[in-house]
Amino acid sequence: MPKAVSYRPSAPAWQPLRSLARHQRPSPAMQDWLQHSGSLTARLIDASEGQFHVEIVRQFIGVPELNERKALGMKRPSLALIREVMLCGHNQPWVFARSLLPLSSLTGGLRHLRKQTTRPLGAFLFSQPQLTRSAIAVARISRDHAYMPDHLIGDDRLWGRRSVFYLQQKPLLVSEVFLPAFVARLDGKPGSNNLQ
């Protein structure tokens, strides 16, 4: 009897934007959003004229994927708080955000992050004076990666970015994927207000 073959989705290929050939890069407007080094939350609030909210997709304790563990410097599988949310502007889902907070990082002054509500994580991170951040890596995300819910991604490949934030030398991995409603506004499609 043949052995059952289990399909494991491939991970997105995260890499610096500059390492992509020019013809593989997104539009200059999307590059601007992908490389933005300040608070994405604050920029989305501005772009939505304050009509912004966070919807929790799911939040659970689990083991990060291998590529996520490598980014976090985890030498072996360990538990993390995995938080997935939608950042919404004008009542449309604009960004899917996936944050991985190793439980070993959620101690002392960061313990309160174990019980997050709909407050954006970015609002907390960028309020911290000792915050440092790794270089931003980007990737094209498709449904083949099983990285986010199918109903959010549709049939198109979407641009995402991720970086590791360090608070008190403790790592937190944050990735953000720009969703079709955001891309339509960015591209100035009919019926959409342009984003700055």
Side-chain angles (χ1 to χ4, degrees):
M1 185 176 226
K3 283 186 176 179
V5 177
S6 63
Y7 171 73
R8 186 110 177 117
S10 63
W14 299 100
Q15 58 193 306
L17 183 61
R18 67 181 176 279
S19 69
L20 295 173
R22 290 198 184 277
H23 71 277
Q24 294 177 316
R25 295 178 188 176
S27 69
M30 179 56 77
Q31 287 185 50
D32 182 58
W33 281 86
L34 288 168
Q35 297 181 104
H36 180 67
S37 61
S39 168
L40 180 66
T41 300
R43 194 171 182 193
L44 290 170
I45 290 169
D46 285 346
S48 67
E49 300 161 323
Q51 296 180 46
F52 175 86
H53 69 276
V54 176
E55 292 180 12
I56 297 174
V57 176
R58 62 184 183 151
Q59 187 167 294
F60 62 99
I61 303 293
V63 177
E65 297 292 329
L66 177 60
N67 74 88
E68 294 170 327
R69 294 198 305 267
K70 285 182 179 177
L72 286 162
M74 298 169 82
K75 301 208 181 334
R76 61 183 182 277
S78 300
L79 294 176
L81 173 65
I82 301 173
R83 174 178 163 89
E84 296 177 345
V85 301
M86 286 188 300
L87 308 178
C88 302
H90 293 289
N91 289 315
Q92 294 181 311
W94 279 4
V95 174
F96 171 80
R98 177 177 164 91
S99 304
L100 289 100
L101 299 87
L103 295 189
S104 59
S105 293
L106 301 182
T107 58
L110 300 181
R111 187 173 185 80
H112 73 279
L113 292 177
R114 290 179 183 238
K115 297 185 192 282
Q116 292 183 75
T117 59
T118 56
R119 181 182 182 210
L121 178 60
F124 169 75
L125 291 177
F126 282 92
S127 71
Q128 303 304 299
Q130 303 300 318
L131 178 71
T132 60
R133 183 184 198 175
S134 72
I136 295 172
V138 302
R140 294 299 300 270
I141 312 289
S142 74
R143 64 172 62 243
D144 294 337
H145 295 130
Y147 191 75
M148 51 192 288
D150 280 351
H151 74 279
L152 292 177
I153 197 164
D155 295 323
D156 296 328
R157 295 192 327 147
L158 303 173
W159 283 102
R161 67 183 205 154
R162 80 174 186 185
S163 56
V164 180
F165 291 89
Y166 296 90
L167 282 173
Q168 304 165 14
Q169 286 89 45
K170 297 174 181 177
L172 315 169
L173 179 63
V174 179
S175 65
E176 296 134 340
V177 180
F178 294 93
L179 299 174
F182 179 88
V183 174
R185 281 181 172 261
L186 192 62
D187 292 344
K189 295 199 174 157
S192 298
N193 296 330
N194 279 15
L195 293 163
Q196 300 172 3

